[in-house]
Amino acid sequence: MDFFEKLGDIISTKGKQVADKAKDTAEILNLKSQIATCEEVMKMNYVEIGKLFYEQYGEDGDAPFEKQRNAIKNARNGISELQAKIDRLKGL
């Protein structure tokens, strides 16, 4: 084999390796995107479970969730106060 044939083989081999690596990288990115989607679905459902639980049992005196219930009540009160300020500024 002469020099140019060897060079052509090396370029061909390296090109295939680069293409395979690019394909693997694209597949990894796709899989990571799918994982992120699954995690978002889980997060939304955890939030929904918590919301439904709070709506059903929020006023019960269950000690493990007292801190969270109080935080929700305080946040709701804060939202009401802030919305009232916005309404006053708008002249409503």
Side-chain angles (χ1 to χ4, degrees):
M1 257 189 211
D2 70 344
F3 173 76
F4 292 109
E5 287 179 14
K6 287 181 182 179
L7 182 61
D9 289 344
I10 291 171
I11 291 172
S12 177
T13 301
K14 293 297 179 183
K16 184 179 179 335
Q17 289 173 346
V18 168
D20 289 344
K21 185 68 173 176
K23 181 181 172 186
D24 290 346
T25 300
E27 186 173 353
I28 288 168
L29 290 173
N30 185 333
L31 293 169
K32 284 185 177 186
S33 174
Q34 290 179 41
I35 288 171
T37 299
C38 290
E39 288 173 339
E40 186 62 28
V41 167
M42 289 171 49
K43 180 180 176 182
M44 289 182 343
N45 281 283
Y46 282 137
V47 168
E48 186 65 23
I49 288 169
K51 183 179 176 185
L52 293 170
F53 183 88
Y54 180 82
E55 288 171 356
Q56 187 167 358
Y57 303 107
E59 298 303 318
D60 290 346
D62 191 8
F65 301 108
E66 185 175 350
K67 178 181 174 184
Q68 290 81 7
R69 278 197 323 273
N70 288 336
I72 290 170
K73 287 179 187 177
N74 290 338
R76 284 184 176 174
N77 290 337
I79 289 170
S80 294
E81 291 173 10
L82 294 168
Q83 188 61 52
K85 288 180 182 180
I86 290 171
D87 292 346
R88 280 194 300 273
L89 289 170
K90 287 183 172 182
L92 299 177

